[in-house]
Amino acid sequence: MKGQIALYDTTMRDGTQGEHINLSAEDKFRIAKKLDEFGIPYVEGGWPGSNPKDVRFFEMAREPDFKNSRITAFSSTCRPGTAPRDDDNIRALLKTGMETVTLFGKSWDLHATEILGVSLKENVRMIQETVAYLRGEGREVIYDAEHFFDGCRANPSYAMETLKAAEEGGANTIVLCDTNGGSMPWEIAEIVGKVVARLKVPIGIHAHNDCGLALANSLASVESGARMVQGTINGYGERCGNVDLIAVIGNLQLKMGYSCVPEERLRQLTELSRFVSEVANVPPMNQRPFVGKSAFAHKGGVHVSAIQKNPAAYEHMDPKQVGNRRRVLVSDLSGKSNIAYKAREMEIKLGGNGYDSQKIVSEIKRLEDEGYQFDAAEGSLELLIKKVTGQFHEPFALESFRVTTEKNRLGPSACQATIKISVGDEEEITAAEGDGPVNALDNALRKALTKFFPQIGEMGLVDFKVRVIDGSWGTGSKVRVQIESRDSREIWSTIGVSENIIEASWQALADSFQYKLSKETGAVL
Ligand SMILES: [Zn+2]
């Protein structure tokens, strides 16, 4: 191992400055606990001077059963013309009771004079005095030098002077920020190297992703001697985001030989990424390096037959190292080896009803030609293979349904669904209302099934997507409905295709319930 890199998470502050990212104090607390369990040494809780929600978070975080993480409170330096002890922001910072505080100050002369409207000298005073005051109050101080790289380009000696002020004030770590995200990796590497050589205090990096270079810039900084990396889980953050700590961890630890988190925690990297996207209510990005659903997914027939001989043929590492898994996708691009692999994974025997892998491939090609898309609907694919090979026993059958939508001039529309299903010899008719026709149908089916299968209660819909397959027929076009469902153990996708959106939705819904029940009741032969 080359050395320890301190990770600093700012998902709850910089991350929430990203569009569509909102976290309540309770959400923040859940994320903080997760990061603590994972072993991130610094977790920034927020800016207590800026909003009451963050104050509430710090009240919750004061009961300290955090084992591995230090929760840090964030603030700007004191205001121009004030002493730190008289500054409201600094008071709020101390009031949180956190042992570690993060201060940001200006290192770009343009920001000091034009944005803050202070003299260069006053800016240096604010940095030096605030750091010194907080150190005097017994706090560990991380100093974030905002716009440091832009500052270096504009006025290098002044940018350096601001860092010196923080060092003289007694900062424990000085973090160089590429706040606007416009710097190149070679520039960053050179500047970080110079700063490391000139200061005694440990140096960190805080990179934004405006040029898609946050990760490259962070890794280059570490190679130049930075010992702290600030970032957010999944790269959430202002504009194009911060560096994604998930990728930072994967690269530093697995590719570059640094140590960031305990070895056994690495296997929870995928879970950590998905947990945070769940709490933030942002769909997980499939292409996310290391942890995305597609990070180790193979679709082309040539690739699939190769990885069955040796996975290293098309994988840069073993997905298990980060808790991810290899997936083989089945689509009209697939060959027999994809089906054979998939069947093994699903523990299905091929050959039933004369359906070997060859015949299943042609069936899939036929259906994909009609608009189905099985690489995005593995639940429906599993049912399909089981059905054609005679290994599926339907847990329930549809007898009929009726969906009505009523709308008048004054009110919102009202939807109702009636459904008749049979389970073995028994029939069940139920009715339910819903916000829309599909919702009403879902509610009615759920109600009917719960009587026979109470475990339906723990399953929920995660996502519902409708796509027009061929728009040339206007409202008469075929649509594809894709549903994602989950229970406490699994997420699965199902699909339906029809000219009638309700019919397509029904197919996807029915597949989703059948998939769940076939797992739970042993209904599959
Ligand atoms: Zn930032």
Side-chain angles (χ1 to χ4, degrees), residues 255-416:
K255 303 288 174 181
M256 293 165 71
Y258 291 94
S259 155
C260 318
V261 291
E263 203 61 37
E264 68 275 11
R265 292 291 173 208
L266 259 190
R267 281 186 288 280
Q268 292 160 15
L269 201 61
T270 302
E271 192 206 327
L272 173 66
S273 166
R274 292 180 189 170
F275 175 86
V276 174
S277 74
E278 179 77 22
V279 176
N281 200 16
V282 176
M285 191 174 95
N286 289 349
Q287 288 84 0
R288 200 179 293 294
F290 298 101
V291 300
K293 195 175 163 199
S294 310
F296 301 94
H298 306 278
K299 186 159 161 181
V302 175
H303 288 216
V304 173
S305 76
I307 58 143
Q308 290 187 75
K309 292 176 189 142
N310 184 350
Y314 285 99
E315 282 174 5
H316 69 98
M317 57 173 277
D318 181 352
K320 285 200 206 86
Q321 287 181 282
V322 289
N324 206 343
R325 69 181 186 95
R326 177 174 307 130
R327 291 168 62 235
V328 165
L329 307 177
V330 169
S331 75
D332 56 354
L333 297 180
S334 304
K336 288 188 296 185
S337 31
N338 297 50
I339 296 292
Y341 185 97
K342 210 72 206 168
R344 252 203 322 279
E345 191 185 85
M346 296 167 173
E347 295 172 3
I348 304 174
K349 267 211 200 81
L350 295 179
N353 293 341
Y355 269 84
D356 57 9
S357 50
Q358 184 63 55
K359 212 162 162 197
I360 293 171
V361 170
S362 6
E363 178 65 4
I364 285 166
K365 287 188 181 179
R366 186 185 68 77
L367 288 166
E368 294 223 337
D369 196 44
E370 282 180 25
Y372 287 82
Q373 208 185 346
F374 287 101
D375 57 342
E378 289 178 316
S380 289
L381 175 71
E382 183 168 332
L383 295 182
L384 173 79
I385 301 179
K386 283 175 176 166
K387 278 176 192 163
V388 296
T389 54
Q391 296 170 77
F392 186 71
H393 165 72
E394 271 189 335
F396 66 91
L398 172 73
E399 299 301 330
S400 63
F401 70 69
R402 174 197 295 258
V403 179
T404 57
T405 302
E406 213 178 306
K407 165 98 186 140
N408 63 35
R409 198 151 56 98
L410 298 170
S413 61
C415 297
Q416 227 189 36

Side-chain angles (χ1 to χ4, degrees), residues 46 58 66 154 178 203 300 350 375 431 440 524:
F58 284 110
F66 289 95
D178 189 28
I203 298 301
L350 295 179
D375 57 342
V524 174

